[in-house]
Amino acid sequence: MATTSEDVWRLLAELATAQKETDKQLKETDLLLKEVSQQQKKTDKQLKELGQQIGGLGAKFGSFTEGLALPSMETILRQRFGMEVVSPSVRVSKNGQHLEIDVLAYTNGELNTAYIVEVKSHAREESISQLKSILQRFRRFFPEHKDKKLYGILAAVHVSSELREKILQEGFYVARIHDQVFELDIPDNFQPRLY
C-alpha cells in the first residue's frame, strides 16, 4: 500500500498533537518535581530542628541526671571515702585539649586520694572507655594532683547486670540509683583499680 501525501500530513498532525501533549506532561512533571523538592527542603529543615530539639533534651536529661546524682554521690564521697573537696561539672582546657569531669572529689593529707565520677542515665560499653580515658588523662590536666591515688566511679540510673560486671572487672566502682538515691553497688571483696 502506497503512502499518500495526505497520510504523511495526517501523521505529521498526529505527531504534532502528541508532541504538544508530551510537552504539557513534561511541564506538569516539572511542577510536581519542584513541589516535591520544596517539600523535601521543608522536611529536611523540620528534621534538622527536631534533631536539635532532641539533642537539647538529651543534654538537659544528662544535666538532670548529674544533678540527681550529686547529693548522694557527695555523701558517699565524703562519708565512705573521706573526700574533703567535691566539685561537680569540672571543665579544664590546656594547650587546646579539653577534659570534662562530671564530679571530681579529692583530699590531701594522709589519704591523698582523688575520685573521678562519670554520671550516665544509661551506662553503655563506651561509658567504660570514656571513664578510663578521663582517668588516664587526669594528671596531665591536674599536675597538682599527680601524687594522689586515683579511682573511678561509674554512676548510672540504668546499668545492665552484664555491664555492671564489666565495669567492676575494669576496677571501677559502680553506683546505681535506688529509691531516688545513688548507692554503691559493689561486692564485699571488690578491689578498685588504682590509676
Side-chain angles (χ1 to χ4, degrees):
M1 176 171 166
T3 305
T4 64
S5 63
E6 287 175 10
D7 290 337
V8 171
W9 284 112
R10 186 176 41 75
L11 285 171
L12 283 174
E14 288 175 8
L15 187 59
T17 303
Q19 184 64 43
K20 284 180 184 176
E21 186 62 31
T22 301
D23 287 347
K24 180 181 170 189
Q25 288 175 347
L26 282 173
K27 285 179 184 175
E28 288 173 3
T29 301
D30 281 348
L31 282 173
L32 283 173
L33 285 173
K34 284 179 185 174
E35 286 177 24
V36 167
S37 176
Q38 289 173 347
Q39 195 62 39
Q40 183 66 43
K41 286 177 186 175
K42 281 183 185 175
T43 302
D44 289 347
K45 183 180 176 188
Q46 289 171 337
L47 285 173
K48 185 178 178 183
E49 289 171 0
L50 183 60
Q52 289 171 340
Q53 290 170 355
I54 289 171
L57 282 175
K60 285 179 183 171
F61 189 65
S63 296
F64 171 75
T65 304
E66 289 171 22
L68 179 68
L70 186 61
S72 47
M73 285 310 304
E74 184 172 3
T75 300
I76 291 168
L77 290 162
R78 289 188 191 282
Q79 292 179 4
R80 171 139 184 191
F81 298 120
M83 296 297 101
E84 296 170 335
V85 177
V86 179
S87 299
S89 194
V90 176
R91 291 175 176 83
V92 63
S93 297
K94 281 192 178 181
N95 302 321
Q97 299 287 311
H98 308 284
L99 186 66
E100 188 173 326
I101 300 171
D102 293 338
V103 181
L104 168 62
Y106 64 89
T107 191
N108 300 314
E110 195 175 313
L111 285 177
N112 203 33
T113 303
Y115 286 86
I116 304 288
V117 182
E118 184 65 20
V119 181
K120 299 288 180 193
S121 53
H122 279 74
R124 294 180 172 77
E125 289 273 348
E126 56 266 19
S127 304
I128 297 171
S129 53
Q130 184 179 5
L131 179 54
K132 194 183 293 187
S133 170
I134 292 168
L135 287 162
Q136 290 168 344
R137 297 168 34 208
F138 177 76
R139 287 184 173 86
R140 215 174 336 144
F141 285 91
F142 294 93
E144 64 272 22
H145 297 302
K146 69 180 185 299
D147 296 328
K148 284 187 172 53
K149 291 175 275 189
L150 183 62
Y151 299 99
I153 301 174
L154 188 57
V157 173
H158 179 270
V159 59
S160 69
S161 52
E162 299 86 25
L163 189 59
R164 176 186 173 269
E165 289 306 313
K166 287 183 181 180
I167 295 167
L168 293 170
Q169 286 170 5
E170 287 290 335
F172 300 140
Y173 289 92
V174 176
R176 300 203 301 194
I177 199 155
H178 181 262
D179 291 334
Q180 300 180 346
V181 174
F182 277 89
E183 297 175 346
L184 287 181
D185 181 14
I186 55 173
D188 291 337
N189 61 349
F190 176 70
Q191 290 299 311
R193 180 174 173 190
L194 183 62
Y195 274 81

